[in-house]
Amino acid sequence: QVQLQQWGARLLKPSETLSLTCTVYGGSFSGHSWTWIRQPPRKGLEWIGEVNDSGNTNYDPSLKSRVTMSVDTSKNQFSLKLTSLTAADTAMYYCARYRTFEGVADDWGQGTLVTVSS
Amino acid sequence: DIQMTQSPSSLSASVGDTVTITCRASQSISDYLNWYQQKPGKAPNLLIYATSALHSGVPARFRGSGSGTDFTLTISSLQPEDFATYYCQQTYNTPRIFGQGTKLEI
């Protein structure tokens, strides 16, 4: 089991860029993929995308034009950037480890509530 | 994209009951189906992966089954701490879509 700690700006304005970073503690960073999932208030879970330890990415098609994910293996960190924010991007954002072989996100960060408001 | 349809959207039950939640995929996803439990204000917790494999530390009263397009999560002998929202997720391919969720209420 690993611990994931995430941080980033929590109150942003429309058109700004969301930047979140997740640090992985207590386990191997290499050999796994890392994923971001969000949850708008009072709604369900939405998969944003994933990045592996080589930096290869998969994104949800509806967000693909605005999303960038990256990894920094030297720091055991991975990051999410989401550009051109609107109020619809207001959500709790979670980072998680995605175990590629088993096909499951098993360890999650605590979540960061990001609010987009003018 | 594969669509995941979860039912029911809400469910009322009592302590000690057995409940079943279903998840249907719009195409075959083999056994790439996971179940999560989420309590208010908390991150989701993994319950079951690969359709039927119980995650470490999850009580045996949680059971997953199915294959192809139809999957079920059965919770036996409901405990007070089981009242939460449950989500399925397919990981057969990307995007790794979640079901809409099932709120299990007392």
Side-chain angles (χ1 to χ4, degrees):
Chain A
Q1 187 176 10
V2 297
Q3 307 289 328
L4 293 94
Q5 188 165 3
Q6 55 186 107
W7 71 88
R10 297 167 182 264
L11 180 59
L12 294 164
K13 291 179 168 46
S15 80
E16 290 187 334
T17 295
L18 175 159
S19 293
L20 295 175
T21 298
C22 193
T23 302
V24 180
Y25 298 97
S28 174
F29 190 83
S30 298
H32 297 294
S33 290
W34 306 93
T35 187
W36 292 94
I37 292 153
R38 70 180 183 178
Q39 186 171 34
R42 296 171 298 282
K43 293 189 177 181
L45 300 167
E46 300 177 354
W47 184 82
I48 301 171
E50 65 195 25
V51 56
N52 68 14
D53 58 354
S54 299
N56 298 309
T57 56
N58 287 298
Y59 301 139
D60 184 274
S62 68
L63 298 171
K64 188 173 184 177
S65 64
R66 299 194 291 131
V67 171
T68 303
M69 295 182 186
S70 59
V71 295
D72 185 339
T73 55
S74 67
K75 297 180 180 178
N76 280 12
Q77 291 179 343
F78 61 105
S79 299
L80 167 69
K81 290 190 187 302
L82 183 63
T83 63
S84 304
L85 294 173
T86 70
D89 295 309
T90 293
M92 183 72 79
Y93 285 75
Y94 295 102
C95 61
R97 178 178 69 175
Y98 181 72
R99 299 176 69 101
T100 308
F101 180 77
E102 294 89 345
V104 64
D106 59 349
D107 289 317
W108 294 55
Q110 78 278 18
T112 300
L113 180 60
V114 175
T115 302
V116 182
S117 174
S118 56
Chain B
D1 298 354
I2 295 174
Q3 302 306 312
M4 303 301 294
T5 303
Q6 195 175 330
S7 61
S9 56
S10 65
L11 181 57
S12 294
S14 299
V15 173
D17 285 354
T18 294
V19 297
T20 298
I21 298 168
T22 66
C23 192
R24 174 165 289 174
S26 58
Q27 66 185 72
S28 177
I29 57 172
S30 185
D31 67 348
Y32 289 89
L33 192 284
N34 307 317
W35 290 98
Y36 295 90
Q37 176 194 68
Q38 187 180 33
K39 296 182 179 179
K42 300 293 186 181
N45 282 320
L46 176 64
L47 296 173
I48 289 170
Y49 63 98
T51 297
S52 59
L54 208 60
H55 185 53
S56 175
V58 175
R61 62 179 182 273
F62 291 90
R63 187 172 68 87
S65 63
S67 67
T69 60
D70 294 313
F71 302 86
T72 60
L73 172 68
T74 300
I75 313 171
S76 304
S77 187
L78 276 171
Q79 299 300 300
E81 61 267 28
D82 298 338
F83 293 92
T85 301
Y86 294 84
Y87 293 93
C88 61
Q89 184 198 24
Q90 71 82 15
T91 56
Y92 179 77
N93 64 10
T94 61
R96 307 194 195 281
I97 302 296
F98 289 89
Q100 308 95 308
T102 296
K103 187 173 185 179
L104 177 55
E105 300 175 297
I106 299 174

